[in-house]
mmCIF file of all heavy atoms in Angstrom:
data_model
loop_
_atom_site.group_PDB
_atom_site.id
_atom_site.type_symbol
_atom_site.label_atom_id
_atom_site.label_comp_id
_atom_site.label_asym_id
_atom_site.label_seq_id
_atom_site.Cartn_x
_atom_site.Cartn_y
_atom_site.Cartn_z
ATOM 1 N N LEU F 5 125.354 115.031 111.026
ATOM 2 C CA LEU F 5 124.589 116.024 111.772
ATOM 3 C C LEU F 5 124.118 117.133 110.853
ATOM 4 O O LEU F 5 124.682 117.370 109.790
ATOM 5 C CB LEU F 5 125.422 116.588 112.924
ATOM 6 C CG LEU F 5 126.762 117.250 112.565
ATOM 7 C CD1 LEU F 5 126.605 118.751 112.469
ATOM 8 C CD2 LEU F 5 127.814 116.905 113.618
ATOM 9 N N SER F 6 123.056 117.775 111.279
ATOM 10 C CA SER F 6 122.544 118.961 110.597
ATOM 11 C C SER F 6 122.638 120.137 111.547
ATOM 12 O O SER F 6 122.372 119.990 112.752
ATOM 13 C CB SER F 6 121.086 118.745 110.153
ATOM 14 O OG SER F 6 120.992 117.739 109.182
ATOM 15 N N TRP F 7 123.008 121.287 111.029
ATOM 16 C CA TRP F 7 123.209 122.473 111.865
ATOM 17 C C TRP F 7 122.379 123.614 111.304
ATOM 18 O O TRP F 7 122.622 124.097 110.208
ATOM 19 C CB TRP F 7 124.684 122.845 111.904
ATOM 20 C CG TRP F 7 125.012 123.943 112.873
ATOM 21 C CD1 TRP F 7 125.364 125.229 112.587
ATOM 22 C CD2 TRP F 7 125.033 123.837 114.296
ATOM 23 N NE1 TRP F 7 125.596 125.934 113.737
ATOM 24 C CE2 TRP F 7 125.401 125.100 114.821
ATOM 25 C CE3 TRP F 7 124.779 122.802 115.196
ATOM 26 C CZ2 TRP F 7 125.521 125.350 116.178
ATOM 27 C CZ3 TRP F 7 124.889 123.043 116.555
ATOM 28 C CH2 TRP F 7 125.262 124.311 117.029
ATOM 29 N N ASN F 8 121.389 124.049 112.063
ATOM 30 C CA ASN F 8 120.544 125.167 111.666
ATOM 31 C C ASN F 8 120.440 126.104 112.859
ATOM 32 O O ASN F 8 119.447 126.119 113.588
ATOM 33 C CB ASN F 8 119.159 124.672 111.239
ATOM 34 C CG ASN F 8 118.285 125.801 110.725
ATOM 35 O OD1 ASN F 8 118.792 126.851 110.318
ATOM 36 N ND2 ASN F 8 116.978 125.602 110.764
ATOM 37 N N ASN F 9 121.503 126.873 113.081
ATOM 38 C CA ASN F 9 121.626 127.660 114.290
ATOM 39 C C ASN F 9 122.478 128.895 114.002
ATOM 40 O O ASN F 9 123.440 128.809 113.238
ATOM 41 C CB ASN F 9 122.276 126.805 115.394
ATOM 42 C CG ASN F 9 122.129 127.391 116.775
ATOM 43 O OD1 ASN F 9 122.771 128.380 117.114
ATOM 44 N ND2 ASN F 9 121.274 126.778 117.590
ATOM 45 N N PRO F 10 122.164 130.032 114.596
ATOM 46 C CA PRO F 10 122.971 131.237 114.345
ATOM 47 C C PRO F 10 124.361 131.190 114.963
ATOM 48 O O PRO F 10 125.206 132.027 114.639
ATOM 49 C CB PRO F 10 122.131 132.359 114.960
ATOM 50 C CG PRO F 10 121.284 131.673 115.986
ATOM 51 C CD PRO F 10 120.975 130.329 115.415
ATOM 52 N N ARG F 11 124.616 130.226 115.825
ATOM 53 C CA ARG F 11 125.948 130.125 116.440
ATOM 54 C C ARG F 11 126.942 129.494 115.463
ATOM 55 O O ARG F 11 126.573 128.676 114.641
ATOM 56 C CB ARG F 11 125.879 129.302 117.721
ATOM 57 C CG ARG F 11 125.035 129.923 118.810
ATOM 58 C CD ARG F 11 124.800 128.938 119.955
ATOM 59 N NE ARG F 11 124.024 129.533 121.027
ATOM 60 C CZ ARG F 11 122.698 129.605 121.034
ATOM 61 N NH1 ARG F 11 122.013 129.123 120.000
ATOM 62 N NH2 ARG F 11 122.056 130.153 122.047
ATOM 63 N N ARG F 12 128.216 129.888 115.605
ATOM 64 C CA ARG F 12 129.276 129.254 114.813
ATOM 65 C C ARG F 12 129.545 127.852 115.351
ATOM 66 O O ARG F 12 129.614 127.643 116.565
ATOM 67 C CB ARG F 12 130.566 130.074 114.883
ATOM 68 C CG ARG F 12 130.549 131.317 114.024
ATOM 69 C CD ARG F 12 131.890 132.024 114.080
ATOM 70 N NE ARG F 12 132.097 132.715 115.341
ATOM 71 C CZ ARG F 12 133.191 132.643 116.087
ATOM 72 N NH1 ARG F 12 134.194 131.879 115.710
ATOM 73 N NH2 ARG F 12 133.299 133.347 117.203
ATOM 74 N N LEU F 13 129.707 126.891 114.457
ATOM 75 C CA LEU F 13 130.027 125.520 114.843
ATOM 76 C C LEU F 13 131.514 125.294 114.597
ATOM 77 O O LEU F 13 132.014 125.539 113.499
ATOM 78 C CB LEU F 13 129.191 124.530 114.041
ATOM 79 C CG LEU F 13 129.320 123.050 114.415
ATOM 80 C CD1 LEU F 13 128.841 122.812 115.843
ATOM 81 C CD2 LEU F 13 128.525 122.189 113.437
ATOM 82 N N MET F 14 132.228 124.803 115.623
ATOM 83 C CA MET F 14 133.683 124.689 115.578
ATOM 84 C C MET F 14 134.121 123.332 116.125
ATOM 85 O O MET F 14 133.368 122.653 116.830
ATOM 86 C CB MET F 14 134.325 125.792 116.441
ATOM 87 C CG MET F 14 133.878 127.200 116.159
ATOM 88 S SD MET F 14 134.737 127.942 114.759
ATOM 89 C CE MET F 14 136.426 128.027 115.388
ATOM 90 N N ILE F 15 135.356 122.954 115.801
ATOM 91 C CA ILE F 15 136.002 121.851 116.501
ATOM 92 C C ILE F 15 137.358 122.330 117.012
ATOM 93 O O ILE F 15 137.999 123.199 116.424
ATOM 94 C CB ILE F 15 136.198 120.591 115.631
ATOM 95 C CG1 ILE F 15 137.043 120.898 114.395
ATOM 96 C CG2 ILE F 15 134.867 119.959 115.264
ATOM 97 C CD1 ILE F 15 137.448 119.648 113.646
ATOM 98 N N GLU F 16 137.776 121.758 118.120
ATOM 99 C CA GLU F 16 139.096 122.006 118.699
ATOM 100 C C GLU F 16 139.800 120.672 118.863
ATOM 101 O O GLU F 16 139.216 119.712 119.381
ATOM 102 C CB GLU F 16 138.978 122.688 120.057
ATOM 103 C CG GLU F 16 140.315 122.890 120.753
ATOM 104 C CD GLU F 16 140.184 123.358 122.190
ATOM 105 O OE1 GLU F 16 139.046 123.416 122.705
ATOM 106 O OE2 GLU F 16 141.230 123.647 122.813
ATOM 107 N N ALA F 17 141.051 120.595 118.413
ATOM 108 C CA ALA F 17 141.826 119.370 118.560
ATOM 109 C C ALA F 17 142.379 119.291 119.979
ATOM 110 O O ALA F 17 143.221 120.093 120.369
ATOM 111 C CB ALA F 17 142.965 119.339 117.547
ATOM 112 N N LEU F 18 141.901 118.340 120.754
ATOM 113 C CA LEU F 18 142.401 118.148 122.113
ATOM 114 C C LEU F 18 143.729 117.407 122.111
ATOM 115 O O LEU F 18 144.460 117.418 123.095
ATOM 116 C CB LEU F 18 141.361 117.396 122.955
ATOM 117 C CG LEU F 18 140.014 118.131 123.096
ATOM 118 C CD1 LEU F 18 139.029 117.293 123.896
ATOM 119 C CD2 LEU F 18 140.200 119.497 123.746
ATOM 120 N N GLU F 19 144.015 116.753 121.001
ATOM 121 C CA GLU F 19 145.339 116.212 120.710
ATOM 122 C C GLU F 19 145.491 116.260 119.193
ATOM 123 O O GLU F 19 144.516 116.557 118.486
ATOM 124 C CB GLU F 19 145.486 114.780 121.252
ATOM 125 C CG GLU F 19 144.465 113.807 120.726
ATOM 126 C CD GLU F 19 144.558 112.443 121.411
ATOM 127 O OE1 GLU F 19 144.559 112.394 122.643
ATOM 128 O OE2 GLU F 19 144.610 111.434 120.678
ATOM 129 N N ALA F 20 146.691 116.043 118.699
ATOM 130 C CA ALA F 20 146.893 116.111 117.246
ATOM 131 C C ALA F 20 145.880 115.207 116.550
ATOM 132 O O ALA F 20 145.747 114.030 116.900
ATOM 133 C CB ALA F 20 148.312 115.688 116.898
ATOM 134 N N SER F 21 145.164 115.760 115.577
ATOM 135 C CA SER F 21 144.022 115.043 114.996
ATOM 136 C C SER F 21 143.981 115.188 113.486
ATOM 137 O O SER F 21 144.522 116.137 112.910
ATOM 138 C CB SER F 21 142.705 115.570 115.593
ATOM 139 O OG SER F 21 142.684 115.446 117.004
ATOM 140 N N LYS F 22 143.295 114.240 112.862
ATOM 141 C CA LYS F 22 143.007 114.298 111.436
ATOM 142 C C LYS F 22 141.509 114.063 111.270
ATOM 143 O O LYS F 22 140.964 113.068 111.754
ATOM 144 C CB LYS F 22 143.802 113.253 110.661
ATOM 145 C CG LYS F 22 143.595 113.292 109.150
ATOM 146 C CD LYS F 22 144.412 112.222 108.436
ATOM 147 C CE LYS F 22 145.900 112.509 108.549
ATOM 148 N NZ LYS F 22 146.692 111.526 107.743
ATOM 149 N N VAL F 23 140.842 115.006 110.603
ATOM 150 C CA VAL F 23 139.381 114.994 110.526
ATOM 151 C C VAL F 23 138.938 115.109 109.071
ATOM 152 O O VAL F 23 139.462 115.938 108.317
ATOM 153 C CB VAL F 23 138.774 116.158 111.336
ATOM 154 C CG1 VAL F 23 137.254 116.084 111.323
ATOM 155 C CG2 VAL F 23 139.295 116.146 112.771
ATOM 156 N N GLU F 24 137.965 114.278 108.677
ATOM 157 C CA GLU F 24 137.373 114.371 107.345
ATOM 158 C C GLU F 24 135.996 115.031 107.456
ATOM 159 O O GLU F 24 135.173 114.635 108.284
ATOM 160 C CB GLU F 24 137.215 112.991 106.727
ATOM 161 C CG GLU F 24 136.580 113.036 105.331
ATOM 162 C CD GLU F 24 136.219 111.666 104.800
ATOM 163 O OE1 GLU F 24 135.492 110.930 105.508
ATOM 164 O OE2 GLU F 24 136.669 111.326 103.690
ATOM 165 N N PHE F 25 135.775 116.029 106.615
ATOM 166 C CA PHE F 25 134.485 116.703 106.529
ATOM 167 C C PHE F 25 133.851 116.335 105.191
ATOM 168 O O PHE F 25 134.497 116.425 104.150
ATOM 169 C CB PHE F 25 134.646 118.218 106.592
ATOM 170 C CG PHE F 25 135.338 118.707 107.834
ATOM 171 C CD1 PHE F 25 136.712 118.861 107.865
ATOM 172 C CD2 PHE F 25 134.612 119.013 108.969
ATOM 173 C CE1 PHE F 25 137.354 119.317 109.001
ATOM 174 C CE2 PHE F 25 135.246 119.483 110.111
ATOM 175 C CZ PHE F 25 136.619 119.632 110.124
ATOM 176 N N LYS F 26 132.576 115.969 105.219
ATOM 177 C CA LYS F 26 131.873 115.657 103.987
ATOM 178 C C LYS F 26 130.508 116.328 104.015
ATOM 179 O O LYS F 26 129.529 115.761 104.506
ATOM 180 C CB LYS F 26 131.720 114.147 103.792
ATOM 181 C CG LYS F 26 131.082 113.764 102.455
ATOM 182 C CD LYS F 26 130.977 112.262 102.290
ATOM 183 C CE LYS F 26 130.377 111.916 100.928
ATOM 184 N NZ LYS F 26 130.253 110.444 100.749
ATOM 185 N N PRO F 27 130.408 117.572 103.522
ATOM 186 C CA PRO F 27 129.106 118.253 103.480
ATOM 187 C C PRO F 27 128.138 117.527 102.549
ATOM 188 O O PRO F 27 128.554 116.912 101.557
ATOM 189 C CB PRO F 27 129.450 119.641 102.937
ATOM 190 C CG PRO F 27 130.920 119.788 103.165
ATOM 191 C CD PRO F 27 131.493 118.412 103.033
ATOM 192 N N ASN F 28 126.854 117.594 102.875
ATOM 193 C CA ASN F 28 125.825 116.965 102.064
ATOM 194 C C ASN F 28 124.881 118.027 101.508
ATOM 195 O O ASN F 28 124.513 118.963 102.213
ATOM 196 C CB ASN F 28 125.026 115.951 102.898
ATOM 197 C CG ASN F 28 125.896 114.820 103.402
ATOM 198 O OD1 ASN F 28 126.738 114.298 102.687
ATOM 199 N ND2 ASN F 28 125.690 114.436 104.654
ATOM 200 N N ASP F 29 124.495 117.859 100.254
ATOM 201 C CA ASP F 29 123.553 118.797 99.661
ATOM 202 C C ASP F 29 122.168 118.664 100.273
ATOM 203 O O ASP F 29 121.421 119.624 100.397
ATOM 204 C CB ASP F 29 123.446 118.573 98.136
ATOM 205 C CG ASP F 29 124.742 118.915 97.434
ATOM 206 O OD1 ASP F 29 125.482 119.768 97.958
ATOM 207 O OD2 ASP F 29 125.015 118.313 96.381
ATOM 208 N N GLN F 30 121.820 117.441 100.651
ATOM 209 C CA GLN F 30 120.524 117.195 101.257
ATOM 210 C C GLN F 30 120.729 116.831 102.725
ATOM 211 O O GLN F 30 121.762 116.287 103.100
ATOM 212 C CB GLN F 30 119.800 116.035 100.540
ATOM 213 C CG GLN F 30 119.552 116.303 99.071
ATOM 214 C CD GLN F 30 118.619 117.470 98.862
ATOM 215 O OE1 GLN F 30 117.717 117.678 99.673
ATOM 216 N NE2 GLN F 30 118.827 118.220 97.792
ATOM 217 N N PRO F 31 119.734 117.129 103.586
ATOM 218 C CA PRO F 31 119.855 116.745 104.998
ATOM 219 C C PRO F 31 120.133 115.254 105.124
ATOM 220 O O PRO F 31 119.485 114.434 104.490
ATOM 221 C CB PRO F 31 118.479 117.116 105.580
ATOM 222 C CG PRO F 31 117.972 118.194 104.671
ATOM 223 C CD PRO F 31 118.485 117.843 103.307
ATOM 224 N N SER F 32 121.137 114.917 105.907
ATOM 225 C CA SER F 32 121.513 113.515 106.046
ATOM 226 C C SER F 32 120.730 112.859 107.174
ATOM 227 O O SER F 32 120.170 113.530 108.034
ATOM 228 C CB SER F 32 123.017 113.412 106.344
ATOM 229 O OG SER F 32 123.314 114.105 107.537
ATOM 230 N N GLU F 33 120.705 111.543 107.136
ATOM 231 C CA GLU F 33 120.095 110.812 108.231
ATOM 232 C C GLU F 33 121.049 110.853 109.418
ATOM 233 O O GLU F 33 122.159 110.354 109.349
ATOM 234 C CB GLU F 33 119.817 109.364 107.820
ATOM 235 C CG GLU F 33 118.748 109.217 106.765
ATOM 236 C CD GLU F 33 118.411 107.764 106.500
ATOM 237 O OE1 GLU F 33 118.964 106.902 107.209
ATOM 238 O OE2 GLU F 33 117.617 107.498 105.587
ATOM 239 N N THR F 34 120.602 111.475 110.490
ATOM 240 C CA THR F 34 121.474 111.602 111.649
ATOM 241 C C THR F 34 121.625 110.275 112.361
ATOM 242 O O THR F 34 120.713 109.447 112.358
ATOM 243 C CB THR F 34 120.913 112.655 112.631
ATOM 244 O OG1 THR F 34 121.769 112.707 113.779
ATOM 245 C CG2 THR F 34 119.506 112.282 113.091
ATOM 246 N N ASN F 35 122.803 110.043 112.941
ATOM 247 C CA ASN F 35 122.982 108.853 113.760
ATOM 248 C C ASN F 35 122.791 109.173 115.242
ATOM 249 O O ASN F 35 123.134 108.376 116.097
ATOM 250 C CB ASN F 35 124.366 108.242 113.523
ATOM 251 C CG ASN F 35 125.492 109.215 113.811
ATOM 252 O OD1 ASN F 35 125.279 110.316 114.325
ATOM 253 N ND2 ASN F 35 126.716 108.817 113.494
ATOM 254 N N HIS F 36 122.235 110.353 115.541
ATOM 255 C CA HIS F 36 121.878 110.775 116.891
ATOM 256 C C HIS F 36 123.096 110.963 117.801
ATOM 257 O O HIS F 36 122.935 111.096 119.009
ATOM 258 C CB HIS F 36 120.897 109.790 117.541
ATOM 259 C CG HIS F 36 119.635 109.598 116.741
ATOM 260 N ND1 HIS F 36 118.716 110.619 116.549
ATOM 261 C CD2 HIS F 36 119.146 108.512 116.081
ATOM 262 C CE1 HIS F 36 117.720 110.169 115.812
ATOM 263 N NE2 HIS F 36 117.959 108.899 115.506
ATOM 264 N N PHE F 37 124.292 110.962 117.222
ATOM 265 C CA PHE F 37 125.485 111.127 118.051
ATOM 266 C C PHE F 37 125.456 112.458 118.787
ATOM 267 O O PHE F 37 125.620 112.511 120.012
ATOM 268 C CB PHE F 37 126.734 111.032 117.176
ATOM 269 C CG PHE F 37 128.016 111.315 117.911
ATOM 270 C CD1 PHE F 37 128.666 110.318 118.609
ATOM 271 C CD2 PHE F 37 128.568 112.595 117.932
ATOM 272 C CE1 PHE F 37 129.838 110.569 119.301
ATOM 273 C CE2 PHE F 37 129.737 112.864 118.620
ATOM 274 C CZ PHE F 37 130.365 111.852 119.303
ATOM 275 N N LEU F 38 125.252 113.546 118.056
ATOM 276 C CA LEU F 38 125.261 114.867 118.683
ATOM 277 C C LEU F 38 124.094 115.024 119.637
ATOM 278 O O LEU F 38 124.255 115.559 120.747
ATOM 279 C CB LEU F 38 125.210 115.953 117.602
ATOM 280 C CG LEU F 38 125.228 117.399 118.100
ATOM 281 C CD1 LEU F 38 126.450 117.666 118.967
ATOM 282 C CD2 LEU F 38 125.180 118.370 116.927
ATOM 283 N N GLU F 39 122.926 114.563 119.237
ATOM 284 C CA GLU F 39 121.751 114.652 120.107
ATOM 285 C C GLU F 39 121.995 113.938 121.434
ATOM 286 O O GLU F 39 121.671 114.459 122.511
ATOM 287 C CB GLU F 39 120.553 114.038 119.388
ATOM 288 C CG GLU F 39 119.277 113.963 120.212
ATOM 289 C CD GLU F 39 118.169 113.266 119.456
ATOM 290 O OE1 GLU F 39 117.749 113.802 118.415
ATOM 291 O OE2 GLU F 39 117.742 112.178 119.893
ATOM 292 N N ASN F 40 122.583 112.748 121.377
ATOM 293 C CA ASN F 40 122.846 111.989 122.602
ATOM 294 C C ASN F 40 123.852 112.711 123.501
ATOM 295 O O ASN F 40 123.697 112.741 124.725
ATOM 296 C CB ASN F 40 123.360 110.588 122.256
ATOM 297 C CG ASN F 40 122.280 109.709 121.664
ATOM 298 O OD1 ASN F 40 121.092 109.942 121.885
ATOM 299 N ND2 ASN F 40 122.681 108.705 120.897
ATOM 300 N N TRP F 41 124.886 113.303 122.889
ATOM 301 C CA TRP F 41 125.883 114.012 123.682
ATOM 302 C C TRP F 41 125.276 115.225 124.369
ATOM 303 O O TRP F 41 125.531 115.491 125.555
ATOM 304 C CB TRP F 41 127.060 114.438 122.804
ATOM 305 C CG TRP F 41 128.281 113.589 123.008
ATOM 306 C CD1 TRP F 41 128.724 112.573 122.226
ATOM 307 C CD2 TRP F 41 129.212 113.680 124.101
ATOM 308 N NE1 TRP F 41 129.863 112.025 122.755
ATOM 309 C CE2 TRP F 41 130.191 112.684 123.892
ATOM 310 C CE3 TRP F 41 129.308 114.496 125.217
ATOM 311 C CZ2 TRP F 41 131.259 112.491 124.776
ATOM 312 C CZ3 TRP F 41 130.383 114.308 126.092
ATOM 313 C CH2 TRP F 41 131.333 113.316 125.877
ATOM 314 N N ILE F 42 124.461 115.989 123.643
ATOM 315 C CA ILE F 42 123.850 117.177 124.234
ATOM 316 C C ILE F 42 122.947 116.791 125.402
ATOM 317 O O ILE F 42 122.967 117.435 126.462
ATOM 318 C CB ILE F 42 123.064 117.956 123.161
ATOM 319 C CG1 ILE F 42 124.042 118.577 122.147
ATOM 320 C CG2 ILE F 42 122.201 119.041 123.785
ATOM 321 C CD1 ILE F 42 123.364 119.243 120.971
ATOM 322 N N LEU F 43 122.188 115.711 125.241
ATOM 323 C CA LEU F 43 121.324 115.254 126.328
ATOM 324 C C LEU F 43 122.145 114.753 127.511
ATOM 325 O O LEU F 43 121.809 115.013 128.677
ATOM 326 C CB LEU F 43 120.386 114.161 125.822
ATOM 327 C CG LEU F 43 119.278 114.616 124.862
ATOM 328 C CD1 LEU F 43 118.515 113.421 124.310
ATOM 329 C CD2 LEU F 43 118.327 115.574 125.573
#
């Protein structure tokens, strides 16, 4: 996902979780996951 918004972007663990973050220097090809959820 790409985030270009003045709001803070956060995650909350709804159960004990392990998450990998991998920032990209260039805009990545989105898999539309976030777009589909918002819609």
Side-chain angles (χ1 to χ4, degrees):
L5 58 97
S6 295
W7 187 252
N8 184 21
N9 195 287
R11 296 170 178 84
R12 284 184 286 132
L13 185 63
M14 308 278 295
I15 59 170
E16 176 189 6
L18 299 178
E19 58 186 51
S21 302
K22 182 180 293 185
V23 184
E24 179 189 54
F25 302 91
K26 185 179 182 181
N28 297 318
D29 294 332
Q30 300 296 327
S32 59
E33 292 186 4
T34 178
N35 58 8
H36 303 294
F37 175 85
L38 181 56
E39 176 184 296
N40 289 337
W41 255 101
I42 291 174
L43 289 174

